[in-house]
Amino acid sequence: MIKAGIKVSTQFVVQYKNHTEILDYVKLCKSLGASSIGFQKIDRWHHMNSKWNNWWELNQVDNNPNIDYQKFIDALLKIEQDDQCNICGGLENLIATKSTSTVN
């Protein structure tokens, strides 16, 4: 598509299982020539009843004890500064509530 002159936008849903891969994803998308790179935080949907509770607790990124928030927020701040990247409001809120550092 890119060789044909079609602009390609990508989307990445951030969850526990992939949150450490977001900077690598940006590099991959840029190397392939994507014009826009989007990031969304995984959300709990209304169809996720009580049988989904364990899955949700393991995969959500808001209050997950398995996440190194310093590294995660630093990566999000780098992405946020990249004009080619867009992050959702949920990730912006996560930065605002968990941020303890700044990126130069």
Side-chain angles (χ1 to χ4, degrees):
M1 291 174 46
I2 292 169
K3 287 181 183 179
I6 299 169
K7 289 187 176 184
V8 174
S9 296
T10 66
Q11 297 296 317
F12 188 102
V13 178
V14 181
Q15 61 174 304
Y16 170 70
K17 292 179 182 177
N18 66 15
H19 78 282
T20 61
E21 301 168 2
I22 58 179
L23 294 176
D24 289 335
Y25 181 76
V26 170
K27 288 179 192 173
L28 173 65
C29 291
K30 287 183 175 201
S31 74
L32 295 173
S35 59
S36 177
I37 308 163
F39 292 87
Q40 291 82 38
K41 180 184 74 139
I42 191 169
D43 286 325
R44 187 170 187 152
W45 291 59
H46 67 283
H47 71 278
M48 293 178 153
N49 56 25
S50 61
K51 73 179 183 178
W52 288 88
N53 284 344
N54 189 48
W55 183 91
W56 174 252
E57 289 303 317
L58 293 172
N59 290 287
Q60 56 88 16
V61 294
D62 286 314
N63 294 300
N64 192 323
N66 298 311
I67 292 177
D68 179 341
Y69 281 100
Q70 182 70 44
K71 289 181 182 177
F72 184 35
I73 297 303
D74 285 349
L76 289 174
L77 288 169
K78 287 178 186 175
I79 290 169
E80 187 178 47
Q81 294 176 356
D82 189 322
D83 290 338
Q84 201 171 341
C85 297
N86 302 294
I87 63 172
C88 72
L91 289 173
E92 289 176 347
N93 186 55
L94 191 66
I95 291 169
T97 58
K98 302 253 185 224
S99 184
T100 59
S101 67
T102 59
V103 174
N104 297 323

Coordinates of all heavy atoms in Angstrom, one line a residue, residues 32-72:
L32 N 8.6 0.8 8.2 CA 7.7 0.4 7.1 C 7.1 1.5 6.4 O 6.4 1.3 5.3 CB 6.6 -0.6 7.7 CG 7.1 -1.9 8.3 CD1 6.0 -2.6 9.0 CD2 7.8 -2.7 7.2
G33 N 7.2 2.7 6.9 CA 6.7 3.9 6.2 C 5.3 4.3 6.6 O 4.6 5.0 5.9
A34 N 4.8 3.9 7.8 CA 3.5 4.3 8.2 C 3.4 5.8 8.4 O 4.4 6.4 8.8 CB 3.1 3.6 9.5
S35 N 2.3 6.4 8.1 CA 2.2 7.9 8.2 C 1.7 8.3 9.5 O 2.0 9.4 10.0 CB 1.3 8.4 7.1 OG 0.0 7.8 7.2
S36 N 1.0 7.4 10.2 CA 0.4 7.8 11.5 C 0.4 6.5 12.4 O 0.1 5.4 11.9 CB -1.0 8.3 11.4 OG -1.6 8.6 12.6
I37 N 0.8 6.7 13.7 CA 0.9 5.6 14.6 C 0.0 5.9 15.8 O 0.4 6.9 16.6 CB 2.3 5.3 15.0 CG1 3.2 5.2 13.8 CG2 2.5 4.1 15.9 CD1 4.7 5.3 14.0
G38 N -1.0 5.2 16.1 CA -1.9 5.4 17.2 C -1.8 4.4 18.3 O -1.5 3.3 18.1
F39 N -2.0 4.9 19.5 CA -2.0 4.1 20.7 C -3.3 4.3 21.5 O -3.6 5.4 21.8 CB -0.8 4.4 21.6 CG 0.5 4.0 20.9 CD1 1.2 4.8 20.0 CD2 1.1 2.7 21.1 CE1 2.3 4.5 19.4 CE2 2.3 2.4 20.5 CZ 2.9 3.2 19.7
Q40 N -3.9 3.2 21.9 CA -5.1 3.2 22.8 C -4.8 2.3 24.0 O -4.2 1.3 23.9 CB -6.3 2.7 22.1 CG -6.9 3.6 21.0 CD -6.1 3.4 19.7 OE1 -5.8 2.3 19.4 NE2 -5.8 4.5 19.0
K41 N -5.3 2.8 25.1 CA -5.3 1.9 26.3 C -6.4 0.9 26.3 O -7.5 1.3 25.9 CB -5.4 2.8 27.6 CG -5.4 2.1 28.9 CD -5.6 3.1 30.0 CE -7.1 3.4 30.0 NZ -7.8 3.5 31.2
I42 N -6.2 -0.3 26.7 CA -7.2 -1.3 26.7 C -8.3 -0.8 27.7 O -8.0 -0.3 28.7 CB -6.7 -2.7 27.1 CG1 -7.7 -3.8 26.8 CG2 -6.1 -2.7 28.5 CD1 -7.2 -5.2 26.9
D43 N -9.5 -1.0 27.3 CA -10.7 -0.6 28.1 C -11.5 -1.8 28.5 O -11.5 -2.8 27.7 CB -11.6 0.4 27.4 CG -11.0 1.8 27.3 OD1 -10.3 2.2 28.2 OD2 -11.2 2.4 26.2
R44 N -12.1 -1.7 29.6 CA -13.1 -2.8 30.0 C -14.4 -2.5 29.4 O -15.0 -1.4 29.6 CB -13.2 -2.8 31.5 CG -14.0 -4.0 32.0 CD -14.0 -4.2 33.5 NE -14.6 -5.4 33.8 CZ -14.3 -6.2 34.8 NH1 -13.4 -5.8 35.6 NH2 -15.0 -7.3 35.0
W45 N -14.9 -3.4 28.6 CA -16.1 -3.3 27.8 C -17.3 -3.8 28.7 O -17.1 -4.7 29.5 CB -16.0 -4.0 26.5 CG -15.1 -3.3 25.6 CD1 -13.7 -3.1 25.8 CD2 -15.4 -2.8 24.3 NE1 -13.2 -2.4 24.7 CE2 -14.2 -2.2 23.8 CE3 -16.5 -2.7 23.5 CZ2 -14.1 -1.6 22.5 CZ3 -16.5 -2.1 22.3 CH2 -15.3 -1.5 21.8
H46 N -18.5 -3.4 28.4 CA -19.7 -3.8 29.1 C -19.9 -5.3 29.1 O -20.5 -5.8 30.0 CB -20.9 -3.0 28.6 CG -21.3 -3.4 27.2 ND1 -20.6 -2.9 26.1 CD2 -22.3 -4.1 26.7 CE1 -21.2 -3.4 25.0 NE2 -22.2 -4.1 25.4
H47 N -19.5 -6.0 28.0 CA -19.7 -7.4 27.9 C -18.8 -8.2 28.8 O -19.0 -9.4 29.0 CB -19.6 -7.9 26.5 CG -18.2 -7.9 26.0 ND1 -17.6 -6.7 25.5 CD2 -17.3 -8.8 25.9 CE1 -16.4 -7.0 25.1 NE2 -16.1 -8.3 25.3
M48 N -17.8 -7.6 29.5 CA -16.9 -8.3 30.3 C -17.5 -8.5 31.7 O -17.3 -7.7 32.6 CB -15.6 -7.5 30.4 CG -14.8 -7.5 29.2 SD -13.3 -6.5 29.4 CE -12.2 -7.2 28.2
N49 N -18.2 -9.5 31.9 CA -18.9 -9.8 33.1 C -17.9 -10.4 34.1 O -16.7 -10.4 33.9 CB -20.1 -10.7 32.9 CG -19.7 -12.0 32.2 OD1 -18.6 -12.4 32.3 ND2 -20.7 -12.6 31.5
S50 N -18.4 -10.9 35.2 CA -17.5 -11.4 36.3 C -16.5 -12.5 35.9 O -15.5 -12.6 36.4 CB -18.3 -11.9 37.5 OG -19.2 -12.9 37.1
K51 N -16.9 -13.3 34.9 CA -16.0 -14.3 34.4 C -14.7 -13.7 33.8 O -13.7 -14.4 33.6 CB -16.6 -15.3 33.5 CG -16.9 -14.8 32.1 CD -17.6 -15.9 31.2 CE -17.8 -15.4 29.8 NZ -18.4 -16.4 29.0
W52 N -14.7 -12.5 33.4 CA -13.6 -11.8 32.8 C -12.7 -11.1 33.9 O -11.7 -10.5 33.5 CB -14.0 -10.7 31.8 CG -14.6 -11.3 30.6 CD1 -15.9 -11.7 30.3 CD2 -13.9 -11.6 29.4 NE1 -16.0 -12.1 29.0 CE2 -14.8 -12.1 28.4 CE3 -12.5 -11.4 29.0 CZ2 -14.4 -12.4 27.1 CZ3 -12.2 -11.8 27.7 CH2 -13.1 -12.3 26.8
N53 N -13.1 -11.1 35.1 CA -12.4 -10.3 36.2 C -10.9 -10.7 36.2 O -10.1 -9.8 36.3 CB -13.1 -10.5 37.5 CG -14.3 -9.7 37.7 OD1 -14.6 -8.8 36.9 ND2 -15.1 -10.0 38.6
N54 N -10.6 -11.9 36.3 CA -9.2 -12.3 36.4 C -8.4 -11.9 35.2 O -7.3 -11.3 35.3 CB -9.1 -13.8 36.6 CG -7.7 -14.3 36.9 OD1 -7.0 -13.7 37.8 ND2 -7.2 -15.3 36.3
W55 N -8.9 -12.1 34.0 CA -8.3 -11.7 32.8 C -8.0 -10.2 32.8 O -6.9 -9.7 32.5 CB -9.1 -12.1 31.5 CG -8.4 -11.7 30.3 CD1 -7.6 -12.5 29.5 CD2 -8.4 -10.5 29.5 NE1 -7.1 -11.9 28.4 CE2 -7.6 -10.6 28.4 CE3 -9.1 -9.3 29.8 CZ2 -7.4 -9.6 27.5 CZ3 -8.9 -8.2 28.8 CH2 -8.1 -8.4 27.7
W56 N -9.1 -9.4 33.2 CA -9.0 -8.0 33.2 C -7.9 -7.5 34.2 O -7.1 -6.7 33.9 CB -10.3 -7.3 33.5 CG -10.2 -5.9 33.7 CD1 -10.3 -5.2 34.9 CD2 -10.0 -4.9 32.7 NE1 -10.1 -3.8 34.6 CE2 -9.9 -3.6 33.3 CE3 -9.8 -5.0 31.3 CZ2 -9.7 -2.5 32.6 CZ3 -9.6 -3.8 30.6 CH2 -9.5 -2.6 31.2
E57 N -7.9 -8.1 35.4 CA -6.9 -7.7 36.4 C -5.5 -7.9 35.9 O -4.6 -7.2 36.2 CB -7.2 -8.4 37.7 CG -8.4 -7.9 38.4 CD -8.4 -6.4 38.7 OE1 -7.4 -5.9 39.1 OE2 -9.4 -5.8 38.5
L58 N -5.3 -9.0 35.2 CA -3.9 -9.3 34.7 C -3.5 -8.4 33.5 O -2.3 -8.2 33.3 CB -3.9 -10.8 34.2 CG -4.0 -11.8 35.3 CD1 -4.1 -13.2 34.7 CD2 -2.8 -11.8 36.3
N59 N -4.4 -7.9 32.7 CA -4.1 -7.2 31.5 C -4.3 -5.7 31.5 O -3.7 -5.0 30.6 CB -4.9 -7.8 30.3 CG -4.4 -9.2 30.0 OD1 -3.3 -9.4 29.5 ND2 -5.1 -10.2 30.4
Q60 N -5.0 -5.2 32.4 CA -5.2 -3.7 32.5 C -3.9 -3.0 32.8 O -3.0 -3.6 33.4 CB -6.4 -3.4 33.4 CG -6.2 -3.9 34.8 CD -5.5 -2.9 35.8 OE1 -5.3 -1.7 35.5 NE2 -5.0 -3.4 36.9
V61 N -3.8 -1.7 32.5 CA -2.6 -1.0 32.7 C -2.7 0.2 33.7 O -1.7 0.8 34.0 CB -2.0 -0.4 31.4 CG1 -1.5 -1.6 30.5 CG2 -2.9 0.5 30.7
D62 N -3.9 0.4 34.2 CA -4.1 1.5 35.1 C -3.5 1.3 36.5 O -2.8 2.1 37.0 CB -5.6 1.9 35.3 CG -6.1 2.5 34.1 OD1 -5.5 3.5 33.6 OD2 -7.2 2.2 33.6
N63 N -3.7 0.1 37.1 CA -3.3 -0.2 38.4 C -2.8 -1.6 38.5 O -3.3 -2.4 39.2 CB -4.4 0.1 39.5 CG -4.7 1.5 39.6 OD1 -3.9 2.4 39.9 ND2 -6.0 1.8 39.3
N64 N -1.8 -1.9 37.7 CA -1.3 -3.3 37.6 C 0.1 -3.3 38.4 O 1.0 -2.7 38.0 CB -1.1 -3.6 36.1 CG -0.9 -5.1 35.9 OD1 -0.2 -5.7 36.7 ND2 -1.4 -5.6 34.9
P65 N 0.1 -4.1 39.4 CA 1.3 -4.2 40.2 C 2.5 -4.8 39.5 O 3.7 -4.7 39.9 CB 0.9 -5.1 41.4 CG -0.2 -5.9 40.9 CD -0.9 -5.0 40.0
N66 N 2.3 -5.4 38.3 CA 3.4 -6.0 37.5 C 4.0 -5.1 36.6 O 5.0 -5.5 35.9 CB 2.8 -7.2 36.8 CG 2.3 -8.3 37.7 OD1 3.0 -8.7 38.7 ND2 1.1 -8.8 37.5
I67 N 3.5 -3.8 36.5 CA 4.1 -2.9 35.6 C 5.1 -2.0 36.3 O 4.8 -1.4 37.3 CB 2.9 -2.0 34.9 CG1 2.1 -2.9 34.0 CG2 3.5 -0.8 34.2 CD1 0.9 -2.2 33.4
D68 N 6.2 -1.8 35.6 CA 7.2 -0.8 36.1 C 6.7 0.6 35.5 O 7.0 0.9 34.3 CB 8.6 -1.1 35.6 CG 9.7 -0.2 36.0 OD1 9.3 1.0 36.3 OD2 10.9 -0.5 35.9
Y69 N 6.0 1.3 36.2 CA 5.4 2.6 35.7 C 6.4 3.6 35.3 O 6.2 4.4 34.4 CB 4.4 3.1 36.7 CG 3.1 2.4 36.6 CD1 2.8 1.4 37.5 CD2 2.2 2.6 35.5 CE1 1.6 0.7 37.4 CE2 1.0 1.9 35.4 CZ 0.7 1.0 36.4 OH -0.4 0.2 36.3
Q70 N 7.6 3.6 36.0 CA 8.6 4.6 35.6 C 9.0 4.4 34.1 O 9.0 5.3 33.3 CB 9.9 4.4 36.5 CG 11.0 5.4 36.2 CD 10.6 6.8 36.6 OE1 10.1 7.0 37.6 NE2 10.9 7.8 35.7
K71 N 9.3 3.1 33.7 CA 9.7 2.8 32.3 C 8.5 3.0 31.4 O 8.7 3.5 30.3 CB 10.2 1.4 32.2 CG 11.6 1.2 32.9 CD 12.0 -0.2 32.7 CE 13.3 -0.5 33.4 NZ 13.8 -1.9 33.3
F72 N 7.3 2.6 31.8 CA 6.2 2.7 31.0 C 5.8 4.1 30.7 O 5.6 4.5 29.5 CB 5.0 2.0 31.7 CG 3.7 1.9 30.9 CD1 3.7 1.8 29.5 CD2 2.5 1.9 31.5 CE1 2.5 1.7 28.8 CE2 1.3 1.9 30.8 CZ 1.3 1.8 29.5

